[in-house]
Structure formats: C-alpha cells, structure tokens
Amino acid sequence: MSLLSPPLRWLAFFACLAATPPLLRLFGVDGGGAVQIGALNDIGIYLILALSLNIILGYAGLFHMGHTAFFAVGAYASAILNTSHGWPILQTMPVAGLLAAFFALLVAGPIIRLRGDYLLVVTIGVVEIVRIVLLNNVFDLTGGANGISGISRAEIFGLRLTTPADLFYLIWAFAGLTVILCSLLENSRFGRALKYIKQDEVAAAGCGINISLYKIQAFVLGAFWAGMAGTLLAVKMRLVDPESFTFSQSVMLFAIVILGGSGSIAGVVLGSFLLIGLQEIFRDFSQARMLAFGAAMVIMMVFRPQGLIPARRRRYDLRGLTGVFPRALGRRGGAEGT
Amino acid sequence: MQEFLQQLTNGLAVGGIYALIALGYTMVYGVLKLINFAHGELFALGAYLGFTLLVTLGLSDFMGGVGVVFLLLIFAMGLVAIAGYFLERVAYRPLRQSNRLAAVVSALGASIFFQNAMMLVYGTKALVYPGGILPSVVVSVLGVEIPLIRILIFASSVLLMCLLFWFIHHTRTGAAVRAVSLDQGAARLMGINVNRIISLIFLIGPALGAAAGVMVGLLYGQIRYDMGVGYGLKAFTAAILGGIGNIPGAMAGGILLGVIEALGAAYISIAWKDAIAFFTLILILIFRPTGLLGERVADKV
C-alpha cells in the first residue's frame, strides 16, 4: 500500500478501471463483457451518489437517509427537459443539479435543527413523499407510474454514446472528478468546519462556526451532486420511473457510507464496490441472493464496526515549525524550550 | 357524520396496530439509542407464523372464535420473541460499544435478511388468512355500524398496552427497565443485570410486534412478505411523532397516526395516504422538534 503516494494510488486505480473494457473484449468474455461493464456502471453511479451523501453524513455527521429524493429530482429534471423541451441530455446536467440543490434548500431549511434520529425519519419521509408525488403525476409532468421514457442518447462533441462501454467512460470520468473534488473539499476550510460540527457541535459553535448555515450548505452541496448523478441515470436507463427511487435505495447508500467508513473517500469507494458488486456476485444464489447479502452486511458490520477503511484524522506537519515549543511537539524548534 | 365515525373507528383499529409496533421501536431506542430497523420484519414474521399455526398446523380446526385468536397470539408472540432475542445477541450485542450508526447498518442488514428469509419460505405472493375465525358481525353503537373485528382489535391492543404500562411502572423488573433506559452505568452499579434487561426488552418488543402482525392478518385477511417495511416505517414514524424512547408517546403517536391516515384517506385522497402521514410528521416536528411527549434535551457542554 505504501509503495505509492495517495494521488498516485488513485491514478493507478482509475487507470486499471479504464483498461477494463478493452481487456474484457480482448479476453473474449461473453458479449464483450457487457454484463460486467453494466455492473461497473451501476457501481459508478452509486459511488457518485455515495460520495455526495458522504458530505452530509460522513463529514457533517447528519443522519440523512433520504438521499434518493435529490437523485430523483435531478433525474426527472433531466428527463423532462430532454423529452419535452428537446435539450441535449448532457446539457441538462447543471440544471438538474441546481434544481436538486434548490429542493434541498427548501427541505433542509425547516428541519435542519432536528436532532439525530428525528432528522433521519424526516429524511425518510421526504423520500416517500417525493416518490408518491411522482407516482400521482402532480403538475402533469412526471408521467405517473410509467415514468418518462424515450430519453435521447447522450452526445459528446458529436459522438453518440451507444454501448455500455461508452457509458462506462462517461460515468467513471464523472466519478473520478467526484473523487478529486471530494478530496479537495475534505481539507478545505468548509470541510474542516463540517468535521468539527460532527465531532462537537457546541464547541464548533463556540469557535464561531454558524452551525445551521454550514449544515444547510452541506445538504445543498450533496443534493447538487446527487442531482447531477440523476442525469447520468437518465442517460444510462433512458427511462425514469418512480420505482427507481425507493427507500431501499436510500438505505443502500447509507449502508455504503457507514460500512465503507464514514468520512473516508477510499472507504466509500470500497463500500460501493462491495455492496453493489456483492449483489451482482450473489446472483448465482438467485433466490437467496438478498438473504446472503443481508447476512453479509451484518457480519461485515460486526467485524468492522468502524467501517472498512475508517477516515484518518487530519495530521499537521510540524517539522517545519521553529521557535519555542514544548519538547514533544517540534523536532527542530523544540530544543530551546523549557 | 356516519362516514366520519366509520373512518374514525377504522383509524383507531389501525392506530392500535401502529402503536403496538411503535412500542417495540421506542423501547429498544430507550435503552440502546438504536433504531431497530429489523423490527418491521419481526412484525411481518408474527403475521406469517400466525398463518402457519392457523393453516398448516390447523389450529382453527380445534376451536372456534376468540379462543383460537387468543392461542394464536400467545404462540406467535412467543416464537417471535425468541427471534428477537437471537437478533439482539447476533447483530446488536457485539456492536454495543461502537458507533451508533454501525448498529443501524447491522439492523438494516438483519432486516434484509429476515425479509428474504420469509420470501424464500412463504413465496412472493400474498397469503390469505382463512376467513370466519372471528364472526363477521357488525355491531351498532349509537347508530353507527362498526365491524366487531375492529372493536376487538382496538380493545386487545389497548389491553396489551395497559399490561405493558403496568409492567413498566408497577413491578420490580419494570423499574429496572426504566433505570437502564435512564442511565446504563448507574443501573449497573445498582446491581441491575443490564444485559438481561436488554434481552428482556428484545423479548417484549418483538412479541408486541408479533401480536400486531396477527391482528393485521385478521383485519385485512392478506399478508405479504414485504409488508414489514411499510408498517415498520409507519410505526417508527408514530414512535418519533410521540417522542422516541417514551412509551406513552409511542401509544399516543400510533393511534394519532392511524386516525389521521384514515381520515386523510377518506377526505383528501387515498393515493396520498402515506404522504399525509409523513407531512403530519414533518409539521409536528417543526413545531415540537422532539415529538409530542418527548423531553426537551439541553445541549451538554
């Protein structure tokens, strides 16, 4: 593990991924590996969603089990803009994100002061309300139980994305971008404030952090990203319907973040591969697939309660410091100390 | 008026069922600060075990009427209580010292496990409770026609709740349960066996859930392997509505939710039934952030 520095490790990881579709074709896996690539596409979308949830749940420590609601708003926004207004699907992405963010602002405003489990059940309620609104075809926009179909294929610079492998590169490029932005966020002023709120709200408020404001910002940012992931779902499925956005999907995302290691990007990546990938692998058990999956979830949690790759606490490099310091702190500068 | 009272009695019957399930959530939360997401599945398991006892083992052939229902409740409650006991031992006890959310994810895994186990054993199709166990009599109270079964269900859920209330407030063991939920460390110092109390709670909560499961089978006649999710979510909402961790709160929240839902379905729209329940929850929490009967918690520094 320590052979490569962290950025290089990520580069190696994404290089291996990028090489997967050609390799699958090269080794003549059935159908050019369409099944495997399809599974990887699913994992990619879940990964993007889980990383955006990680901002809210992992960094800020808000018990949020309703992330699917934001995902749904984004996917439906893209689908409507594309089918009714003829926008190219990929250009709807920023609008999808903004609408989801706006929705999050509306929802989070009144409920942001709720404590832990109260917030959890309200966010579950929001998912259910969104699903019912979509199902009942309010505003006559969402197509009711059938959803919206006939979304056009995505085009990049005149290149039509038709095969699963094309989508693979689109989804994983976006996932890569998400990883980079999240790691920048993690150590930014904003990210550190969120982590402080998670550790100790009262102390954070005492240091001048506006708790409610930061929490709402975390919600809005996470929702913005989830909304854009919604566009990717619309691109991939070319159909959106209410059954794609269930409570159990929110549960899966929650489990990915906690089981992977809340607040840890590498943990969330591993969690997405494990939880979404396991469901594919357990397909051989057919009927008992989800039985084995549930048991695996319990077992993993019992043996790794802190998550598979727990977040490391931020460390400060003190070697460069000089001046009067207690002996234990500075290596060079501590000598003249008391 | 007639319509209103009809819907009200319907709401009370469903509300009693919600309240019974909500008690399981709230009691576990009271001692472990854990949302037992597998509780909805234990409720569904109660309904299915009731079905097995009635149909496969032919309990309904031996006796008729209320006697069968009584036996059915006792057996289903006992069996599901055992399941609840093992659930705690396997999935929650090892996580007692760790992060709260770890136990929540373990609970979610257990819920998926139970749900699929029931699907494998009983199949994906809805099963039909045999009719005619309880006479389908309609009682006329003050000019309102109420099916007898609603009255029986509401009465038995209230009876169970009274028993629980008596147990918690007027027995030695009940005092121990209250002590553990106030402060586990202090309770241990007072010589209370905390592990045993927690096990006891995982016997009582699921047993009440199982009773609710049998009642749903009798009231609606149909059970499905995934009904635990919907009912569980509603009951959990009810527990939060009343103030989670608070036993009278869960009872009040459950009955209130049942009534609001029934009236909302009748006067607004049946398609919006579930949404109405959650809207109510959000509205109430905006004005009372810790539920109707929940205590206000001060920030500790």
Side-chain angles (χ1 to χ4, degrees):
Chain A
M1 283 291 268
S2 56
L3 274 175
L4 299 170
S5 69
L8 281 179
R9 244 181 271 159
W10 282 112
L11 208 62
F13 171 72
F14 277 103
C16 287
L17 263 176
T20 311
L23 282 178
L24 283 173
R25 214 172 309 134
L26 196 66
F27 288 105
V29 183
D30 299 341
V35 180
Q36 287 80 356
I37 292 173
L40 282 173
N41 287 349
D42 279 342
I43 294 174
I45 288 182
Y46 267 94
L47 170 61
I48 297 164
L49 282 172
L51 281 173
S52 66
L53 175 64
N54 189 35
I55 299 173
I56 306 170
L57 174 66
Y59 297 152
L62 295 165
F63 292 9
H64 170 44
M65 212 186 259
H67 212 50
T68 299
F70 306 139
F71 183 44
V73 170
Y76 266 89
S78 285
I80 291 168
L81 283 175
N82 179 255
T83 54
S84 310
H85 301 275
W87 289 35
I89 186 77
L90 282 178
Q91 285 179 26
T92 64
M93 203 176 217
V95 182
L98 285 175
L99 277 175
F102 181 66
F103 179 65
L105 192 65
L106 283 183
V107 171
I111 63 172
I112 205 70
R113 282 169 211 279
L114 295 177
R115 284 161 181 288
D117 305 284
Y118 289 91
L119 185 66
L120 186 109
V121 74
V122 168
T123 54
I124 294 175
V126 171
V127 175
E128 286 295 287
I129 291 174
V130 166
R131 195 177 59 86
I132 293 165
V133 167
L134 295 175
L135 204 57
N136 289 336
N137 200 3
V138 187
F139 319 125
D140 218 18
L141 278 173
T142 61
N146 295 326
I148 300 172
S149 54
I151 297 167
S152 58
R153 287 195 188 282
E155 279 188 34
I156 298 180
F157 308 125
L159 199 73
R160 278 165 82 84
L161 306 181
T162 46
T163 62
D166 295 344
L167 291 175
F168 172 87
Y169 288 110
L170 175 71
I171 291 170
W172 280 96
F174 197 74
L177 179 69
T178 312
V179 168
I180 293 171
L181 290 179
C182 280
S183 52
L184 290 176
L185 180 88
E186 197 170 63
N187 290 321
S188 69
R189 191 181 163 82
F190 179 68
R192 280 177 287 141
L194 291 186
K195 286 193 212 164
Y196 197 3
I197 292 175
K198 179 187 184 180
Q199 290 294 329
D200 191 335
E201 236 176 69
V202 179
C207 290
I209 295 172
N210 185 339
I211 305 261
S212 294
L213 184 69
Y214 270 88
K215 283 182 177 175
I216 290 179
Q217 284 173 347
F219 255 104
V220 169
L221 190 62
F224 177 68
W225 215 256
M228 296 210 287
T231 306
L232 290 180
L233 183 84
V235 170
K236 175 171 166 280
M237 306 295 291
R238 302 179 63 207
L239 159 98
V240 289
D241 65 342
E243 289 318 303
S244 313
F245 307 103
T246 55
F247 168 56
S248 61
Q249 192 185 43
S250 283
V251 165
M252 201 56 74
L253 289 171
F254 192 87
I256 287 174
V257 173
I258 302 299
L259 202 143
S262 106
S264 136
I265 295 172
V268 172
V269 173
L270 183 61
S272 313
F273 270 90
L274 263 183
L275 286 191
I276 308 302
L278 267 186
Q279 294 187 42
E280 297 294 325
I281 293 166
F282 283 160
R283 240 175 238 295
D284 298 340
F285 293 93
S286 67
Q287 288 261 298
R289 167 169 86 106
M290 292 306 281
L291 187 81
F293 178 74
M297 244 166 99
V298 175
I299 292 167
M300 284 195 276
M301 221 59 251
V302 166
F303 286 102
R304 292 288 291 183
Q306 70 276 47
L308 297 168
I309 307 177
R312 264 188 295 175
R313 297 192 79 156
R314 188 180 160 84
R315 288 184 196 170
Y316 291 88
D317 194 356
L318 297 172
R319 278 170 304 182
L321 292 173
T322 49
V324 182
F325 274 104
R327 219 170 274 274
L329 268 182
R331 272 191 202 165
R332 240 180 280 154
E336 313 90 33
T338 45
Chain B
M1 195 60 196
Q2 177 80 13
E3 158 90 12
F4 174 77
L5 288 174
Q6 274 291 339
Q7 293 301 334
L8 187 68
T9 54
N10 186 22
L12 285 174
V14 179
I17 291 173
Y18 285 162
L20 281 182
I21 312 171
L23 282 169
Y25 280 108
T26 222
M27 286 173 74
V28 168
Y29 190 88
V31 292
L32 290 184
K33 300 284 171 283
L34 161 72
I35 303 162
N36 178 11
F37 273 104
H39 188 63
E41 267 57 48
L42 291 175
F43 148 83
L45 184 66
Y48 272 106
L49 288 177
F51 178 85
T52 302
L53 290 165
L54 266 177
V55 178
T56 318
L57 305 181
L59 191 64
S60 52
D61 300 341
F62 293 113
M63 279 179 297
V66 182
V68 168
V69 175
F70 184 72
L71 263 184
L72 197 61
L73 281 177
I74 297 288
F75 275 122
M77 286 169 80
L79 290 173
V80 175
I82 296 170
Y85 174 81
F86 282 109
L87 170 69
E88 193 265 335
R89 288 306 287 262
V90 174
Y92 304 151
R93 188 165 294 187
L95 292 169
R96 201 158 313 147
Q97 303 307 327
S98 37
N99 188 335
R100 284 179 52 199
L101 290 182
V104 169
V105 171
S106 178
L108 291 168
S111 153
I112 295 175
F113 178 84
F114 274 118
Q115 194 183 332
N116 285 280
M118 282 185 285
M119 187 190 83
L120 286 178
V121 175
Y122 292 100
T124 48
K125 272 196 237 150
L127 294 181
V128 180
Y129 257 58
I133 304 162
L134 284 172
S136 52
V137 186
V138 174
V139 191
S140 182
V141 182
L142 300 171
V144 187
E145 314 258 291
I146 305 167
L148 176 68
I149 184 155
R150 282 189 199 164
I151 300 176
L152 281 178
I153 281 182
F154 185 65
S156 36
S157 58
V158 170
L159 180 74
L160 282 172
M161 286 187 253
C162 291
L163 274 176
L164 178 74
F165 196 77
W166 171 82
F167 170 74
I168 297 286
H169 285 272
H170 296 276
T171 61
R172 256 178 89 82
T173 321
V177 171
R178 278 180 290 146
V180 171
S181 70
L182 272 178
D183 187 333
Q184 279 195 27
R188 188 173 283 119
L189 291 176
M190 297 301 118
I192 294 170
N193 186 337
V194 173
N195 276 336
R196 191 176 294 169
I197 295 295
I198 289 173
S199 289
L200 178 72
I201 283 175
F202 272 92
L203 290 170
I204 298 175
L208 293 174
V214 172
M215 286 177 189
V216 166
L218 292 172
L219 184 64
Y220 293 115
Q222 269 203 353
I223 53 175
R224 274 179 61 93
Y225 75 98
D226 57 358
M227 69 178 187
V229 179
Y231 277 91
L233 216 50
K234 286 295 172 50
F236 175 40
T237 303
I240 289 270
L241 200 63
I244 194 155
N246 180 310
I247 289 177
M251 299 175 184
I255 290 173
L256 187 69
L257 195 70
V259 170
I260 288 174
E261 218 182 75
L263 295 181
Y267 291 106
I268 301 175
S269 159
I270 186 110
W272 288 91
K273 197 178 96 170
D274 295 343
I276 290 164
F278 290 116
F279 265 124
T280 314
L281 172 84
I282 294 175
L283 275 182
I284 290 183
L285 287 186
I286 288 174
F287 293 106
R288 286 195 60 91
T290 49
L292 291 173
L293 302 180
E295 287 162 30
R296 296 191 173 269
V297 204
D299 280 318
K300 279 183 198 158
V301 179

